[in-house]
Amino acid sequence: MLPRGVLVLLGTACVVVVVAGMRAVAELVGPVFLALMLTVTVAPLTGWLRRRGAPVWLAATATVTTVYLGLFALGGALAVSVTRLIDLLPEYQDRFTQLRDDLAAGLSGLGMDVEQLRAAMSDVDAGSFVRIVEVFFGGLAGALGNSVFLLAVLLFLCLDAVNFPARLKEVVTERPQVVAALHVFASGTRRYLLVTTVFGLIVAVFDTALLWWLSIPLPLLWGLLSFITNYIPNVGFIVGVIPPALLGLLEGGPELMMWVIVLYCVVNFIIQSVIQPKIVGDAVGLSATVTFLSLIFWGWVLGALGALLAIPLTLLAKGLLIDVDPSTRWLNSLMSGGPPARDEVPEEPPADHDDHDDLHGMEVRHT
């Protein structure tokens, strides 16, 4: 048997190779993980229909239709809102020019060369704001833009979800730890999405109302952006405040921009950085530090889509690498922010266990 140090080095090398491969094919891996998360989210509908006697074709059709309608609604709202924003920005071209000249004049008072400053800022115009918006929406829009691949993966995953419980029944006696670990991943992902969605809706309502009160154009778009960025742990509200703050600068100058930033910080910091992390941490069994590091890591590997899926991806990695092995399960106590999670993986399922374990939201009976 190899020494433990050699095994650690070999394992680390394998992780590096896997991560490098995922980063190289991020455009393919990201939509697959998004499809998996969506399937996990809506698959309880499949189990509910099957338990009430619905035929397989009806359960599969309902699952696929629900996911597709959600994607089309989100994609349509983003497309309409961004289109309206692009149509609105040319009206601020003169304001851009004035702000640029004022900034150059102010910096010239500090001894800087005016001509060099104007040459350096000559490319800053209304199009720059459009590019900033594209950066924030780019990851999600890129995943939705590869619609054929994403919809195809979703279709096959949803179809497999109908019969997946029966397949797990065949392997649960041979690999109970694997099935239990996947159950922890599925239930933790759904709890995380439920909590984050509820808080995202609350934040979106508050932000939309505040922006409407401040007369910021397109408050519904920025409310939608707040809802989406709420899925980015810890720093989501910082990403969400930048576009409306810049638009406030164009609409009413630095004073209006400061009002937007201050009110966003008051509302979003309290909800997203104080209340929500505690509840999310208790729901999924991850500490605030692990949550933040997962954001950095998955954002680096998969880009903006990885940042949105950071928590589900971390739960999946934890289930496959830690929960399946009793010798590494002690790491859960170090990764959690409080007492052990309720979904702790059992050592061995009882022989007469009649509980329902669900992977991707599907009911699985341990026998």
Side-chain angles (χ1 to χ4, degrees):
M1 182 176 179
L2 294 175
R4 181 177 295 273
V6 175
L7 292 176
V8 171
L9 290 176
L10 290 175
T12 303
C14 292
V15 170
V16 171
V17 172
V18 171
V19 170
M22 292 175 58
R23 194 179 184 195
V25 294
E27 294 182 356
L28 295 178
V29 175
V32 170
F33 281 136
L34 176 60
L36 176 61
M37 187 192 70
L38 293 175
T39 305
V40 169
T41 304
V42 303
L45 175 63
T46 305
W48 183 82
L49 292 173
R50 293 291 290 152
R51 289 194 301 272
R52 280 154 182 78
V56 173
W57 67 267
L58 178 60
T61 302
T63 304
V64 174
T65 302
T66 301
V67 176
Y68 280 10
L69 287 177
L71 280 178
F72 289 146
L74 178 60
L78 285 174
V80 171
S81 299
V82 173
T83 301
R84 291 185 58 195
L85 175 63
I86 294 175
D87 294 338
L88 179 66
L89 285 179
E91 301 178 9
Y92 294 102
Q93 184 60 52
D94 294 338
R95 180 60 177 166
F96 259 108
T97 303
Q98 180 183 351
L99 288 173
R100 186 177 59 193
D101 294 340
D102 292 344
L103 178 60
L107 293 176
S108 66
L110 300 177
M112 299 183 181
D113 186 83
V114 178
E115 296 301 327
Q116 291 182 352
L117 290 173
R118 289 180 177 176
M121 295 186 294
S122 60
D123 294 332
V124 180
D125 53 16
S128 302
F129 188 79
V130 175
R131 289 189 289 272
I132 292 175
V133 174
E134 289 175 348
V135 169
F136 296 124
F137 286 105
L140 183 61
L144 298 178
N146 194 5
S147 57
V148 175
F149 177 67
L150 177 61
L151 295 179
V153 174
L154 273 172
L155 174 63
F156 291 120
L157 282 177
C158 291
L159 292 178
D160 285 339
V162 178
N163 296 318
F164 205 74
R167 302 178 197 174
L168 286 180
K169 288 181 182 180
E170 298 177 359
V171 301
V172 67
T173 55
E174 298 182 6
R175 294 291 186 270
Q177 301 297 335
V178 174
V179 175
L182 292 176
H183 158 67
V184 172
F185 156 69
S187 59
T189 297
R190 287 194 299 275
R191 285 201 304 269
Y192 163 73
L193 292 175
L194 175 62
V195 172
T196 306
T197 300
V198 170
F199 276 98
L201 291 173
I202 295 173
V203 167
V205 170
F206 274 105
D207 289 345
T208 302
L210 288 174
L211 295 176
W212 176 81
W213 178 63
L214 293 173
S215 300
I216 301 296
L218 304 178
L220 292 177
L221 171 61
W222 310 126
L224 178 62
L225 179 61
S226 297
F227 174 77
I228 295 173
T229 56
N230 188 63
Y231 290 96
I232 303 177
N234 304 110
V235 299
F237 85 93
I238 299 176
V239 177
V241 73
I242 294 177
L246 292 177
L247 200 58
L249 176 65
L250 298 176
E251 183 73 19
E255 182 179 353
L256 183 57
M257 181 183 70
M258 291 305 301
W259 272 109
V260 172
I261 294 175
V262 169
L263 293 178
Y264 252 70
C265 289
V266 170
V267 174
N268 294 35
F269 179 79
I270 293 176
I271 296 177
Q272 291 181 284
S273 299
V274 177
I275 301 176
Q276 181 177 335
K278 172 61 177 175
I279 298 178
V280 170
D282 292 342
V284 302
L286 296 177
S287 66
T289 302
V290 173
T291 299
F292 178 74
L293 293 178
S294 68
L295 164 67
I296 301 300
F297 175 77
W298 292 112
W300 175 72
V301 174
L302 300 179
L305 191 57
L308 289 173
L309 303 178
I311 299 301
L313 288 174
T314 302
L315 293 176
L316 178 60
K318 185 173 78 75
L320 296 178
L321 300 177
I322 296 177
D323 294 338
V324 297
D325 189 353
S327 65
T328 60
R329 205 169 298 140
W330 58 271
L331 290 171
N332 283 324
S333 299
L334 302 180
M335 297 175 64
S336 64
R342 293 173 298 175
D343 288 331
E344 184 179 358
V345 181
E347 291 295 330
E348 292 292 342
D352 58 347
H353 184 65
D354 194 37
D355 224 356
H356 285 82
D357 283 315
D358 45 324
L359 172 65
H360 305 291
M362 302 166 290
E363 299 290 330
V364 176
R365 188 180 300 277
H366 283 186
T367 57

